[in-house]
Amino acid sequence: MATAFGLSTFRLFVKRWLKTALAIPGFFVRSRQPYLRVLFYHRVNPYPFNDLGPVSRELTVRPDVFEAQLKRLSRLGYRSASVAEFCRMMTLKQHIDPKALLISFDDGYEDNLLWAAPLLHKYGFSALIFVVSDFLGKSTAEVWPDSDPAPYGKFLDAGQIGELKQSGIEFGSHTVSHPLLSTLTREKQHQELETSKRKIGQLIGASVDTIAYPGGEFDVVTQQCAVDAGYTLGFTTVPGVNRPGMSLTALRRTEVSASDSLLVFDAKMAGALDWLAFKENRALRQWIRRFNDLLIPLAKGRGGRDG
């Protein structure tokens, strides 16, 4: 057990060190042109590190760290943009405000309501949460073979989504069952995209115009299926910024995770790690996924996989 937790801690240490080192050359190649940045998180909670599954250990941002990040954004003059405003700026129907920021969360964990939302509200920010329609009200133990132990892996339920919507949080789709879309047939991709859009839309009583591709896996077929299903914006996990003229179904996002110190967070906001977009090459992503799959059993402890 101690070895498993030690592996998770070691991975976080190595990632933090690498990000810090890789940011140095990034300061010389970062963009100075007007752009829009989209941050994406998964989880914000104070749950015991050793009790979380190995993936959640790396995805979870502690509330005090999240607050420090929001405080830094507020001091730098950043503000939340709505999905509609973001779309207008990307299509040049509105002047680009480089201080306008989209903060997004993938998967739709209950801790988005319990811990992230109060802090967002405290600092005047909002968020866009991408939920998996078939995960609502469930736990990671019900949807993945390796998971977080109860009660640390809960997803939002319908009532909680309604509560968040009333507070100004927006919602998008993360599909029906969280598959790697580009590995599916066109028909199955369309079904995942269309069904989740319809179910989530019925739940929130509004149109669902945004999709975040699970695992960041997408291709040109996925993009076309998203358009055919009626989505306006499609979000990837490719790091970087967004400018008018870019494909609206291949938008870039900046991930924030447990291995990000405040220094690394500042570097990401400054664009010093945007150059790492090359690592999102599909072949490299598949290799990294296989490598992580080998490490997960070693780091399981009492947890597992949560996406």
Side-chain angles (χ1 to χ4, degrees), residues 18-55:
L18 281 174
K19 289 175 183 178
T20 303
L22 292 172
I24 296 173
F27 277 104
F28 297 98
V29 296
R30 59 191 174 133
S31 172
R32 267 80 175 178
Q33 299 301 315
Y35 56 75
L36 295 170
R37 188 174 297 279
V38 181
L39 298 180
F40 86 98
Y41 296 79
H42 285 82
R43 312 197 62 178
V44 175
N45 64 66
Y47 304 145
F49 181 81
N50 291 355
D51 287 344
L52 291 171
V55 178

Side-chain angles (χ1 to χ4, degrees), residues 165-180:
K165 183 176 182 295
Q166 287 296 317
S167 70
I169 300 295
E170 296 187 275
F171 289 90
S173 168
H174 206 35
T175 70
V176 174
S177 61
H178 201 279
L180 301 180

Side-chain angles (χ1 to χ4, degrees), residues 108-125:
Y109 287 95
E110 182 185 51
D111 57 40
N112 295 172
L113 167 69
L114 300 179
W115 299 98
L119 290 171
L120 288 166
H121 179 73
K122 178 178 179 179
Y123 291 94
F125 290 99

Side-chain angles (χ1 to χ4, degrees), residues 63-303:
D64 61 321
V65 175
F66 186 56
E67 181 167 17
Q69 293 167 354
L70 294 178
K71 187 179 296 185
R72 183 65 56 90
L73 292 175
S74 180
R75 286 177 177 173
L76 291 173
Y78 284 96
R79 65 175 182 85
S80 281
S82 66
V83 169
E85 184 184 14
F86 180 88
C87 192
R88 288 195 300 270
M89 287 189 285
M90 284 296 294
T91 55
L92 292 179
K93 295 177 181 177
Q94 180 177 325
H95 180 71
I96 292 180
D97 179 359
K99 293 296 186 179
L101 183 70
L102 265 183
I103 300 176
S104 63
F105 289 82
D106 283 6
D107 299 338
Y109 287 95
E110 182 185 51
D111 57 40
N112 295 172
L113 167 69
L114 300 179
W115 299 98
L119 290 171
L120 288 166
H121 179 73
K122 178 178 179 179
Y123 291 94
F125 290 99
S126 186
L128 168 63
I129 300 179
F130 293 103
V131 298
V132 184
S133 61
D134 273 6
F135 287 7
L136 300 181
K138 296 181 179 179
S139 67
T140 54
E142 296 176 85
V143 298
W144 281 304
D146 297 317
S147 58
D148 304 284
Y152 303 125
K154 290 184 179 180
F155 294 104
L156 294 165
D157 60 30
Q160 292 170 325
I161 286 177
E163 182 179 345
L164 284 166
K165 183 176 182 295
Q166 287 296 317
S167 70
I169 300 295
E170 296 187 275
F171 289 90
S173 168
H174 206 35
T175 70
V176 174
S177 61
H178 201 279
L180 301 180
L181 286 168
S182 59
T183 66
L184 305 180
T185 64
R186 179 186 289 266
E187 291 73 23
K188 288 183 178 179
Q189 289 192 58
H190 182 80
Q191 182 180 12
E192 284 278 343
L193 293 165
E194 192 280 328
T195 302
S196 60
K197 174 181 170 67
R198 173 171 44 82
K199 286 184 175 181
I200 298 166
Q202 290 172 346
L203 179 62
I204 65 174
S207 175
V208 175
D209 301 319
T210 58
I211 173 72
Y213 309 119
E217 287 290 339
F218 75 105
D219 55 21
V220 293
V221 174
T222 307
Q223 290 178 261
Q224 187 58 53
C225 286
V227 172
D228 293 343
Y231 292 97
T232 302
L233 305 176
F235 292 89
T236 71
T237 58
V238 179
V241 295
N242 302 288
R243 298 185 183 85
M246 293 178 59
S247 171
L248 294 180
T249 54
L251 296 167
R252 298 188 170 199
R253 294 191 293 169
T254 301
E255 183 175 19
V256 186
S257 64
S259 57
D260 292 346
S261 64
L262 196 57
L263 177 64
V264 169
F265 180 78
D266 287 343
K268 286 186 173 182
M269 289 303 303
L273 288 166
D274 291 347
W275 69 279
L276 295 179
F278 75 87
K279 74 180 181 63
E280 297 297 315
N281 171 275
R282 190 173 184 185
L284 182 56
R285 284 182 58 80
Q286 291 175 343
W287 183 87
I288 292 173
R289 182 172 287 111
R290 286 195 293 268
F291 178 73
N292 285 333
D293 285 344
L294 291 175
L295 289 182
I296 282 175
L298 299 177
K300 270 179 68 172
R302 285 171 285 168

